[in-house]
């Protein structure tokens, strides 16, 4: 009977193993680039996967599936019959319908089919109304050879963008960002204890008409050493001849943590440690260990076990505070205290139109995103005005002007005990607050300077008794004029500016670990980053016989960047409600650079 059962079990396992098939391989573009995020779908089912950073994939398919479908934005889809093969090297061709598109190439533009450089393009319609806070997030998975990764997952936080991988181990690896011809401040700004702020989050993705990514030397050579890590050209929307068009986009969404871990509840937690105490007593008795220093006449299994149990019960009494762990009065799920349902609200209003003489585009945007971790969020207000005017048959001029205000509510760095997710280290028998419902710390007066009864620091203190925020005011604009000297030859002049004013504030109240010894701690940091750009260009473009084209660009560009920073720290705040540095009795540090 046992042998028969074993045979059936082995047969069942064998059938189960043959019921499914695992296929793997790589997905590349025609020029050999790995396609990151390409979709692989088992045709006729919902089973599918996407490629990793190296273009590789692995997928387990049901036995009835005979065809795999490979697809990627901007490329022709391809269907492949599985047959007896388990490994596939797929090459996707770029969609022919895109070859006639106009592509921005730096100081000019070309028809895609005439390009010799490697340029990837993202149309603004592809990223319209995406639930993202920055342009880099909108680029994710839409271009071959471009890797986009959120470093921390915090709204408005740092995003890594790598064009053709990392090119430096000591310098920066971020590409150069150019918005309407103006190289802008990008990357992240260290906010002095409040995390890192992403400069690109100041730009409203819904104002973007197209994104071009210059990926090779021939395409990005015009920007010199600044283009060592690639160039991202961002073109904002313009008005068109015709009646005024009003566009209103409203969106709302929510997000929540999935696949949460399962932890012991209060009863399981108490029983586990009490069982461990009894086991420790049994171990000492079996090995004749007397670490408790019991007299010989009292050295019994019962007494040793009682010592361990009394010690554990004392700890449980401490961690449960005013509640009774013996009756499971408190059963706190600290994971639920760290997470929340994050809501996202977006509103965009734009007006565009114009005549042959003047075209305009104006917009106002609002974005508010709450993180799924408590006390973490991002908010942005933005406005933009783009004008294009024709002074005469030979003269065109215009301007691009954008303003934004971004606010980041931060949580402490990931390796700090005050980070919300560190709450999962706390005991389920500990109440979230004390018996008055107002405080997170000691439950009885004189208890070791209100020593917390939690196992470790209660990170929820930070949400009530501290704040870390970063506010950025951004102005981005340029003016330009182009004069047609003769047929095919034009002179173009541009001047642009990118100004970022950043205010970062940190306050730690008396109940926090940072503010406990100093009766409150505060830090203020004010930073100003200014980029100026001017250009003078001669542009020559002439169509020749036989379908050939001669394109020439010559000129000079000047760019200057300035940075100023002021930081002040103070302590000894009279009340936790007074949180500005003006209320600090003792200014402990201050510097400028």
């Amino acid at each position: 009977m046992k042998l028969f059962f074993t045979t059936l079990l082995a047969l069942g396992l064998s059938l189960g193993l043959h019921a499914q098939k695992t296929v793997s391989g790589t997905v590349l573009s025609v020029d050999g680039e790995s396609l990151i995020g390409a979709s692989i779908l088992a045709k006729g089912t919902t089973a599918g996967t996407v490629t990793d950073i190296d273009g590789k994939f692995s997928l387990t398919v049901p036995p009835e599936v005979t065809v795999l479908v490979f697809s990627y934005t901007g490329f022709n889809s391809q269907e492949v019959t599985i047959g007896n093969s388990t490994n596939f090297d797929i090459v996707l061709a770029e969609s022919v319908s895109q070859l006639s598109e106009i592509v921005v190439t730096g100081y000019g533009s070309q028809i895609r089919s005439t390009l010799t450089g490697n340029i990837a393009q993202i149309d603004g319609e592809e990223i319209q109304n995406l639930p993202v806070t920055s342009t880099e997030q909108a680029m994710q998975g839409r271009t071959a050879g471009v890797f986009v990764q959120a470093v921390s997952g915090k709204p408005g936080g740092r995003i890594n963008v790598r064009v053709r991988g990392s090119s430096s181990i000591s310098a920066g690896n971020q590409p150069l960002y150019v918005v309407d011809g103006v190289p802008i401040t990008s990357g992240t700004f260290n906010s002095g204890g409040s995390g890192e702020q992403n400069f690109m989050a100041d730009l409203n993705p819904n104002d973007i008409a197209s994104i071009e990514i210059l990926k090779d030397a021939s395409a990005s050579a015009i920007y010199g050493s600044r283009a060592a890590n690639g160039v991202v050209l961002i073109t904002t929307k313009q008005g068109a001849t015709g009646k005024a068009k009003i566009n209103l986009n409203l969106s709302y969404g929510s997000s929540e943590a999935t696949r949460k871990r399962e932890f012991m509840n209060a009863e399981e937690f108490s029983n586990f440690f009490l069982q461990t105490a009894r086991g420790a007593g049994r171990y000492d008795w079996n090995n004749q260990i007397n670490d408790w220093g019991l007299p010989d006449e009292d050295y019994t299994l019962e007494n040793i076990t009682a010592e361990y149990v009394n010690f554990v019960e004392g700890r449980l009494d401490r961690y449960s505070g005013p509640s009774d762990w013996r009756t499971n009065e408190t059963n706190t799920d600290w994971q639920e205290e760290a997470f929340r349902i994050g809501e996202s609200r977006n509103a965009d209003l734009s007006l565009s139109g114009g005549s042959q003489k003047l075209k305009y585009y104006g917009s106002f945007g609002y974005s508010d995103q709450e993180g799924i971790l408590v006390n973490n969020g991002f908010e942005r207000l933005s406005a933009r005005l783009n004008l294009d005017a024709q002074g005469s048959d030979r003269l065109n001029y215009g301007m691009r002007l954008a303003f934004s205000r971004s606010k980041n509510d931060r949580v402490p760095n990931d390796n700090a005990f005050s980070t919300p997710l560190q709450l999962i280290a706390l005991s389920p028998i500990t109440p979230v607050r004390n018996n008055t419902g107002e405080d997170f710390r000691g439950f009885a007066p004189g208890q070791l300077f209100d020593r917390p009864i939690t196992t470790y620091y209660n990170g929820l203190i930070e949400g009530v008794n501290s704040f870390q925020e970063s506010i950025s005011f951004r102005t981005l604009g340029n003016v330009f004029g182009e004069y047609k000297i003769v047929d095919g030859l034009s002179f173009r002049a541009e001047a642009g500016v990118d100004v970022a004013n950043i205010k970062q504030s940190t306050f730690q109240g008396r109940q926090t670990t940072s503010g406990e010894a100093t009766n409150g701690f505060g830090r203020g940091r004010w930073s100003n980053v200014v980029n100026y750009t001017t250009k003078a260009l001669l542009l020559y473009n002439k169509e020749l016989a036989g379908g050939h084209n001669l394109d020439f660009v010559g000129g000079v560009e000047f760019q200057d960047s300035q940075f100023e920073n002021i930081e002040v720290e103070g302590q000894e705040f009279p009340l936790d409600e007074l949180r500005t540095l003006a209320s600090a009795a003792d200014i402990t540090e201050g510097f400028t650079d």
Side-chain angles (χ1 to χ4, degrees):
M1 183 66 181
K2 181 178 180 181
L3 178 61
F4 176 71
F5 177 77
T6 305
T7 303
L8 288 179
L9 179 60
L11 179 60
L13 289 174
S14 177
L15 291 174
L17 289 173
H18 286 85
Q20 293 185 331
K21 185 177 184 179
T22 300
V23 296
S24 59
T26 58
V27 181
L28 307 173
S29 63
V30 175
D31 57 1
E33 291 187 20
S34 300
L35 295 184
I36 306 170
S39 297
I40 301 92
L41 180 66
K43 189 174 182 179
T45 71
T46 58
T49 186
V50 295
T51 55
D52 60 17
I53 187 174
D54 297 318
K56 298 180 179 180
F57 72 92
S58 178
L59 175 65
T60 301
V61 297
E64 68 273 12
V65 174
T66 59
V67 176
L68 297 177
V69 181
F70 297 83
S71 60
Y72 193 76
T73 302
F75 290 75
N76 292 323
S77 298
Q78 187 176 146
E79 294 188 3
V80 177
T81 302
I82 298 176
N84 295 324
S85 301
T86 58
N87 189 72
F88 300 88
D89 293 323
I90 305 300
V91 177
L92 296 182
E94 194 169 359
S95 175
V96 177
S97 63
Q98 294 185 340
L99 295 181
S100 61
E101 294 178 352
I102 300 298
V103 179
V104 178
T105 58
Y107 295 144
S109 59
Q110 295 183 27
I111 298 176
R112 177 180 288 275
S113 59
T114 66
L115 286 175
T116 58
N118 193 332
I119 299 180
Q121 185 182 43
I122 302 173
D123 190 88
E125 293 183 358
E126 296 182 34
I127 61 176
Q128 189 80 12
N129 296 323
L130 288 178
V132 296
T133 57
S134 69
T135 305
E136 306 106 314
Q137 289 176 301
M139 293 163 48
Q140 190 169 23
R142 287 178 168 79
T143 53
V146 179
F147 177 64
V148 181
Q149 178 188 42
V151 176
S152 65
K154 300 172 184 176
R158 181 159 63 101
I159 307 290
N160 279 342
V161 177
R162 300 290 181 263
V163 178
R164 291 187 178 273
S166 299
S167 59
S168 173
I169 61 173
S170 57
N173 286 297
Q174 293 288 101
L176 172 68
Y177 290 87
V178 180
V179 178
D180 291 327
V182 180
I184 66 170
T185 303
S186 60
T188 56
F189 184 77
N190 194 330
S191 55
S194 299
E196 292 184 325
Q197 176 174 314
N198 182 11
F199 278 114
M200 293 302 296
D202 295 331
L203 184 64
N204 185 357
N206 286 330
D207 284 337
I208 295 176
S210 68
I211 300 174
E212 277 79 19
I213 303 173
L214 315 185
K215 296 189 288 185
D216 59 14
S218 64
S220 57
I222 56 176
Y223 290 102
S225 60
R226 296 175 296 172
N229 300 314
V231 182
V232 179
L233 302 176
I234 299 174
T235 304
T236 58
K237 295 178 180 178
Q238 304 176 29
T241 302
K243 295 182 179 180
K245 295 182 179 179
I246 299 177
N247 187 31
L248 175 63
N249 295 314
L250 302 173
S251 64
Y252 172 85
S254 62
S255 58
E256 59 180 313
T258 59
R259 299 183 180 179
K260 295 179 182 178
R261 311 303 298 175
E262 293 186 7
F263 296 97
M264 290 186 290
N265 59 30
E267 182 178 5
E268 293 167 340
F269 181 86
S270 302
N271 290 340
F272 174 79
F273 282 99
L274 289 173
Q275 182 179 355
T276 302
R278 298 184 186 97
R282 172 65 64 181
Y283 177 87
D284 283 3
W285 173 255
N286 290 339
N287 292 277
Q288 292 297 294
I289 299 174
N290 188 9
D291 287 338
W292 295 99
L294 297 174
D296 292 340
E297 61 272 16
D298 295 329
Y299 184 71
T300 64
L301 171 61
E302 182 179 357
N303 289 341
I304 295 174
T305 302
E307 294 290 345
Y308 277 107
V309 170
N310 290 337
F311 174 80
V312 168
E313 288 183 343
R315 288 287 176 165
L316 296 178
D317 287 337
R318 171 184 168 182
Y319 296 148
S320 62
S323 63
D324 188 357
W325 60 267
R326 294 171 177 81
T327 61
N328 303 313
E329 180 180 347
T330 297
N331 185 24
T332 303
D333 186 347
W334 290 100
Q335 189 173 207
E336 293 300 323
E337 298 297 327
F339 288 114
R340 65 180 176 182
I341 296 178
E343 297 182 342
S344 176
R345 309 169 188 87
N346 295 278
D348 282 280
L349 176 65
S350 65
L351 174 66
S352 63
S355 62
Q356 293 293 338
K357 295 293 184 180
L358 179 65
K359 301 173 185 177
Y360 58 87
Y361 171 84
S363 71
F364 174 81
Y366 173 75
S367 177
D368 181 19
Q369 182 176 354
E370 295 177 346
I372 59 175
L373 287 181
V374 294
N375 309 319
N376 184 211
F378 175 81
E379 182 183 52
R380 179 184 61 232
L381 288 169
S382 63
R384 172 171 287 275
L385 177 62
N386 291 350
L387 297 176
D388 294 274
Q390 183 176 358
S392 66
D393 292 339
R394 292 182 176 270
L395 177 64
N396 295 314
Y397 58 93
M399 62 167 283
R400 305 284 185 265
L401 186 61
F403 301 96
S404 67
R405 176 191 182 274
S406 302
K407 179 184 177 184
N408 283 269
D409 292 319
R410 294 295 189 191
V411 294
N413 292 331
D414 294 340
N415 61 347
F417 259 121
S418 50
T419 303
L421 270 184
Q422 295 286 0
L423 291 171
I424 62 175
L426 304 184
S427 165
I429 65 175
T430 304
V432 175
R433 295 174 180 263
N434 65 12
N435 51 353
T436 66
E438 301 170 353
D439 204 349
F440 292 98
R441 304 199 66 155
F443 287 92
Q447 189 180 51
L448 296 179
F449 193 63
D450 284 345
R451 180 178 178 178
I453 53 86
T454 52
T455 319
Y456 301 101
Y457 182 69
N458 187 345
L460 295 178
I461 296 174
E462 301 287 324
V464 176
N465 296 280
S466 72
F467 73 87
Q468 299 185 69
E469 69 176 19
S470 176
I471 299 177
S472 170
F473 294 90
R474 191 78 174 268
T475 302
L476 179 63
N478 71 315
V479 293
F480 62 89
E482 185 171 332
Y483 184 79
K484 183 179 180 181
I485 302 173
V486 295
D487 186 28
L489 180 63
S490 302
F491 173 76
R492 183 180 178 91
E494 296 184 29
V497 64
D498 176 20
V499 181
N501 293 289
I502 307 162
K503 174 190 174 185
Q504 293 132 3
S505 302
T506 301
F507 174 79
Q508 300 286 326
R510 285 176 170 81
Q511 294 193 43
T512 66
T513 53
S514 299
E516 183 179 73
T518 59
N519 289 324
F521 169 81
R523 177 192 292 118
R525 187 175 185 178
W526 298 265
S527 304
N528 185 48
V529 184
V530 182
N531 278 320
Y532 299 98
T533 304
T534 57
K535 301 175 187 176
L537 306 172
L538 277 175
L539 309 173
Y540 183 76
N541 190 299
K542 189 72 173 179
E543 292 186 6
L544 305 178
H548 299 288
N549 188 77
L550 178 61
D551 193 355
F552 171 82
V553 177
V556 294
E557 178 180 359
F558 173 78
Q559 182 179 1
D560 182 43
S561 181
Q562 300 177 5
F563 173 78
E564 294 179 299
N565 182 61
I566 301 174
E567 185 167 332
V568 179
E569 294 182 0
Q571 58 188 34
E572 298 293 339
F573 286 76
L575 296 171
D576 280 355
E577 289 74 19
L578 302 176
R579 300 187 171 191
T580 62
L581 279 171
S583 301
D586 185 11
I587 301 299
T588 57
E589 185 176 351
F591 66 87
T592 63
D593 55 21

